[in-house]
Amino acid sequence: MPGAGRIVLLVTSPRLPAGLLTAAAWDLVRSSPVYAAADSEQATALRSAGVPVTVVEADPELLVAALATHPTVVWLAGAAGDEDFARRLGLRLAREPSLAELELCYGSWDPPGARLLDAVAVMDRLASPGGDPWKRQQTHETLAPYLLEESYEAYDAIVSKDLAALREELGDVLLQVVLHARLAENLPEAERWTVDDVAGGLVDKMVRRNPHVFAGEEVDGVQAIIDNWERIKKEEKARESVLDGIALSQPALSLAAKILQRTERAGLTVQLPTGDDLGAALLRLVAQARADGLDPEALLRQAALAYADDVRARENVGPAE
């Protein structure tokens, strides 16, 4: 009887390159027979390194029998983890604990952000031939309204302090990002880019614009960090005007506030319009709100939502007598 036997379930991350294992995992597979339910990239990598991997039926009795000639046997789990087989093996050994000890060994772990790789893979499937016809017929232009809508819904979740909803809505924003990037792969070669280009550009930008973190530059406060960011951004963009780069499609109140902010930051003094028309009056109100340290967009939104509550209340009680 193989009383001191040991069965080790070797679990690896399918999101890391096959063969990228811990030293302990390599010691394990090099010293013990390895079994698996199917061939895989991980099995191929082990064989390339001189480690035999035997494909067998996912039957606990086969591993128990192997203990007759080896004190330790290894089960190389598939990409999904082989949870059902692990459960059946655990139940088998629970009936006869003297047969062997069951151990779990993580040969590799998912790195932070690993599920982003899954998001990219799923979107590739959806936007490729045989995938989702709706997504395949979209363009950056047809998707533009959805990007705005999902961003506003994420904003609503923040305002309502609903963190569970925020997590979900940010997922919808991410869907838009990976879909736009996947569609860009279909552009003519001279215009083509990928999600890696998007992420790579973001990483480069964060490193460049945060020299106090990545280049050892000393700063004496948050304002210095903001000044650095704006200075580096200006050097990158080589813009002719302080207003270049402002998103002109944003809501009018936010647009006005942004223009006033850029003007003030540039040290420019430009007379506000003095006319009596509503647009000029609204711009002066936005300027006054900024001078008071207030966010005019948020204030109008807050007032509009409060008014909406009053409308709903009136609907519930019926029209006034």
Side-chain angles (χ1 to χ4, degrees):
M1 294 289 294
R6 186 171 67 129
I7 299 177
V8 182
L9 297 177
L10 178 59
V11 179
T12 61
S13 169
R15 301 175 185 90
L16 291 180
L20 188 62
L21 305 177
T22 64
W26 275 114
D27 289 343
L28 178 66
V29 298
R30 283 175 173 144
S31 62
S32 308
V34 181
Y35 299 91
D39 275 321
S40 63
E41 292 184 2
Q42 200 67 259
T44 299
L46 293 184
R47 292 191 187 106
S48 297
V51 175
V53 178
T54 305
V55 176
V56 297
E57 182 182 353
D59 184 353
E61 296 299 337
L62 295 175
L63 295 189
V64 171
L67 290 171
T69 54
H70 298 88
T72 298
V73 296
V74 178
W75 181 263
L76 177 62
D82 292 1
E83 292 183 8
D84 179 67
F85 173 73
R87 180 185 60 80
R88 290 187 287 116
L89 179 59
L91 291 174
R92 175 65 182 88
L93 296 181
R95 292 198 300 269
E96 292 186 71
S98 61
L99 286 177
E101 295 179 353
L102 180 60
E103 296 183 10
L104 178 64
C105 175
Y106 285 96
S108 58
W109 295 267
D110 283 347
R115 296 313 300 269
L116 291 174
L117 300 177
D118 291 344
V120 172
V122 167
M123 185 55 69
D124 181 63
R125 171 79 180 276
L126 289 170
S128 294
D132 176 20
W134 185 87
K135 290 179 177 60
R136 286 177 51 76
Q137 72 180 13
Q138 298 309 305
T139 66
H140 298 304
E141 290 75 18
T142 61
L143 288 174
Y146 299 105
L147 181 58
L148 279 177
E149 179 182 348
E150 302 299 355
S151 298
Y152 281 130
E153 290 180 2
Y155 183 91
D156 285 344
I158 293 173
V159 171
S160 63
K161 302 186 185 302
D162 189 338
L163 296 183
L166 176 59
R167 180 180 64 183
E168 179 180 352
E169 298 303 341
L170 288 177
D172 290 339
V173 173
L174 178 60
L175 184 154
Q176 295 299 312
V177 173
V178 294
L179 179 52
H180 275 281
R182 177 59 184 82
L183 293 177
E185 294 183 32
N186 300 331
L187 294 172
E189 185 173 356
E191 304 173 11
R192 190 176 305 155
W193 43 269
T194 71
V195 70
D196 285 323
D197 296 316
V198 174
L202 172 61
V203 170
D204 291 344
K205 180 187 296 184
M206 289 192 296
V207 172
R208 283 195 312 271
R209 295 189 185 178
N210 291 279
H212 60 290
V213 176
F214 298 102
E217 183 172 319
E218 293 188 6
V219 293
D220 58 5
V222 173
Q223 186 57 50
I225 294 173
I226 295 173
D227 292 342
N228 264 347
W229 181 281
E230 292 300 328
R231 173 182 57 80
I232 296 170
K233 181 178 179 179
K234 184 177 180 180
E235 293 171 354
E236 292 171 352
K237 301 295 185 179
R239 289 169 172 163
E240 296 181 358
S241 168
V242 296
L243 304 183
D244 289 349
I246 292 179
L248 301 181
S249 59
Q250 63 185 295
L253 276 181
S254 297
L255 175 62
K258 193 67 175 180
I259 291 173
L260 291 168
Q261 178 200 50
R262 288 280 189 91
T263 304
E264 177 184 328
R265 183 175 293 170
L268 300 174
T269 300
V270 181
Q271 182 68 38
L272 289 169
T274 57
D276 293 332
D277 67 279
L278 182 58
L282 287 173
L283 184 58
R284 291 195 297 271
L285 285 174
V286 172
Q288 184 59 55
R290 278 190 43 76
D292 295 339
L294 302 174
D295 182 345
E297 180 75 23
L299 288 173
L300 179 58
R301 176 187 176 85
Q302 191 176 50
L305 291 176
Y307 181 73
D309 287 341
D310 291 341
V311 171
R312 292 189 180 95
R314 176 59 60 88
E315 289 176 328
N316 289 338
V317 299
E321 294 295 329

